[in-house]
Amino acid sequence: ETEPNPSIFQTSYCLKQGIIYCKTVKIIMATIHAKEDFDAEACAAELRKAMKGFGSNEKKIIEVLTSINNEQRQAVKLAFKTSLGRDLVSDLKSELGGSFEDAVLALMRTPAEYDAWSLREAMKGAGTDESDMSEILASRNNAQIEAIKESYSKQFKRDLEADVMSECGGSLKRIFVSLVQGARKEDDATDDDKAEADAQALYKAGEKSWGTDESEFNRVLMMNNAAQLRLIGEKYRAISDYDIRRVIEKEMSGDLEFAMVALWLCAVKPAEFFADRAYRAMKGMGTADKDLQRVIISRSEIDLEEVKAVFQDKYGKKLSKMVADDINGDYKRLMLSVIG
């Protein structure tokens, strides 16, 4: 589980009259935070009032749900049922519609429930959305993967790994099955010599060879922690004109390319990965609403502030501005409230 208000500490130094002064500032990376004076029963009453009678007060629903974090929303669900004898999610479904309803229901799921639901959506019916699967499985840590598997089984009475194996094939299936094990290295240990060897191995498997040894990329990306992968990236840049992301894009294509880029970026530059996902959900005609919702809602209590900063730097416009131009109505108001 992520901490309620993920943050980083930024330290700056200045020299004045021969004395070095140090200043450390805590930077909050989440946009949704735990409400300090939280009262689950009061929130439940506000939501009931907003939905009672003819029509709904969507503005109040948005205000209540985005002023508290996910853990508090779960407490409100319980308080709603305990104090009113009604199911909050069922009431929301009956009152709302369209993409606004979808986004509200996403907010009401726990992170594990939301990820498990998204994975089932990606695999059920005709065809498979491999990019959604890559995004979720490559970006979640081991504990989150275990929680997703448990929720998937509880919600759908199905086994996640078995579904992955039946829906996917080839190299992509091997990547997803590896990720579903939830056994990737999460320590911070680094080994300079090993990083040098792995950088050389990737160079030989890709740029230096005729064709691409995808299994070598899979091995390096899957068997190293994030700190070691960053070091491998530095070593690779010393022997190549390209960074590892660009090499993957040059050497591979389609869903496999996307999965490999997801593995790489989610380890070394997660905010860039999610900024790219948000942009692709909105560029061109129409909006990939489910993708947009998942990026914004799933990162809202982790690093959405950083995603916003990377988005603006890379694409020359604010995430909130592009969202406001792309969607409308209560759906837009809800998403902008989450973005902050």
Side-chain angles (χ1 to χ4, degrees):
E1 294 295 320
T2 57
E3 59 180 22
N5 295 325
S7 57
I8 59 173
F9 291 89
Q10 188 176 79
T11 303
S12 58
Y13 301 88
C14 63
L15 181 66
K16 290 183 180 179
Q17 297 178 334
I19 300 173
I20 298 175
Y21 292 88
C22 171
K23 181 181 181 181
T24 300
V25 179
K26 185 178 183 182
I27 303 173
I28 302 296
M29 303 309 293
T31 60
I32 296 287
H33 314 287
K35 188 175 183 180
E36 290 186 10
D37 55 345
F38 173 65
D39 183 331
E41 194 173 337
C43 288
E46 283 188 280
L47 288 170
R48 176 62 187 144
K49 184 179 178 182
M51 293 185 282
K52 198 173 182 180
F54 184 75
S56 299
N57 184 344
E58 286 85 359
K59 184 179 178 182
K60 175 55 71 173
I61 292 171
I62 293 169
E63 179 190 316
V64 172
L65 295 183
T66 60
S67 66
I68 56 179
N69 70 3
N70 190 275
E71 184 179 352
Q72 292 171 334
R73 285 183 215 116
Q74 306 314 311
V76 172
K77 276 202 295 190
L78 181 59
F80 197 90
K81 185 164 280 189
T82 303
S83 62
L84 300 166
R86 303 175 66 93
D87 185 80
L88 175 55
V89 171
S90 295
D91 280 6
L92 289 167
K93 281 182 179 179
S94 69
E95 293 291 331
L96 312 177
S99 294
F100 178 50
E101 177 190 340
D102 292 336
V104 167
L105 296 182
L107 282 169
M108 295 308 302
R109 295 183 176 101
T110 67
E113 287 170 349
Y114 188 22
D115 285 342
W117 177 84
S118 297
L119 287 168
R120 186 69 199 128
E121 287 290 301
M123 289 186 282
K124 75 177 186 181
T128 305
D129 193 329
E130 288 87 353
S131 61
D132 285 2
M133 296 175 68
S134 294
E135 174 197 318
I136 295 165
L137 295 175
S139 64
R140 280 26 171 190
N141 63 32
N142 293 342
Q144 289 168 329
I145 293 290
E146 287 303 316
I148 290 166
K149 289 194 289 187
E150 185 178 331
S151 181
Y152 192 90
S153 176
K154 185 177 179 181
Q155 287 186 72
F156 308 112
K157 305 297 185 286
R158 303 174 70 95
D159 181 73
L160 178 59
E161 184 175 337
D163 280 358
V164 166
M165 292 187 73
S166 70
E167 291 292 329
C168 306
S171 298
L172 206 54
K173 177 168 79 172
R174 289 190 286 275
I175 290 172
F176 290 160
V177 169
S178 295
L179 290 170
V180 167
Q181 304 315 304
R184 299 171 78 190
K185 294 179 181 177
E186 294 183 337
D187 60 313
D188 295 321
T190 57
D191 183 323
D192 200 76
D193 292 339
K194 187 173 180 298
E196 184 76 50
D198 280 342
Q200 290 288 348
L202 290 179
Y203 186 68
K204 290 173 185 174
E207 288 185 77
K208 201 175 179 182
S209 68
W210 182 260
T212 307
D213 183 354
E214 293 151 356
S215 65
E216 194 66 5
F217 279 83
N218 192 19
R219 178 191 68 80
V220 171
L221 294 175
M222 206 68 71
M223 297 305 293
N224 290 286
N225 64 37
Q228 183 71 8
L229 285 173
R230 283 191 288 271
L231 185 57
I232 292 168
E234 292 172 14
K235 300 293 184 183
Y236 195 91
R237 283 302 271 125
I239 59 174
S240 171
D241 293 333
Y242 305 104
D243 63 19
I244 288 178
R245 176 182 183 168
R246 186 71 189 104
V247 170
I248 292 170
E249 291 170 343
K250 280 167 58 67
E251 296 290 327
M252 301 176 202
S253 61
D255 294 322
L256 181 61
E257 174 198 330
F258 184 86
M260 289 287 189
V261 169
L263 281 170
W264 172 252
L265 281 186
C266 288
V268 301
K269 295 178 180 177
E272 182 177 342
F273 175 77
F274 287 103
D276 289 346
R277 284 292 277 168
Y279 181 77
R280 288 171 187 166
M282 294 182 282
K283 76 171 184 175
M285 294 292 291
T287 307
D289 290 296
K290 295 291 177 63
D291 291 348
L292 182 64
Q293 291 164 23
R294 191 174 54 255
V295 168
I296 290 173
I297 292 170
S298 71
R299 306 314 287 185
S300 63
E301 295 183 38
I302 302 172
D303 60 357
L304 190 53
E305 288 292 358
E306 187 178 3
V307 173
K308 286 158 59 176
V310 171
F311 190 97
Q312 184 165 358
D313 184 59
K314 188 167 184 176
Y315 297 110
K317 63 175 70 177
K318 287 185 176 182
L319 174 60
S320 57
K321 178 67 168 67
M322 193 163 179
V323 168
D325 290 343
D326 216 61
I327 61 178
N328 52 48
D330 293 315
Y331 176 36
K332 175 172 80 172
R333 283 183 278 278
L334 174 64
M335 298 304 281
L336 291 179
S337 185
V338 176
I339 291 168

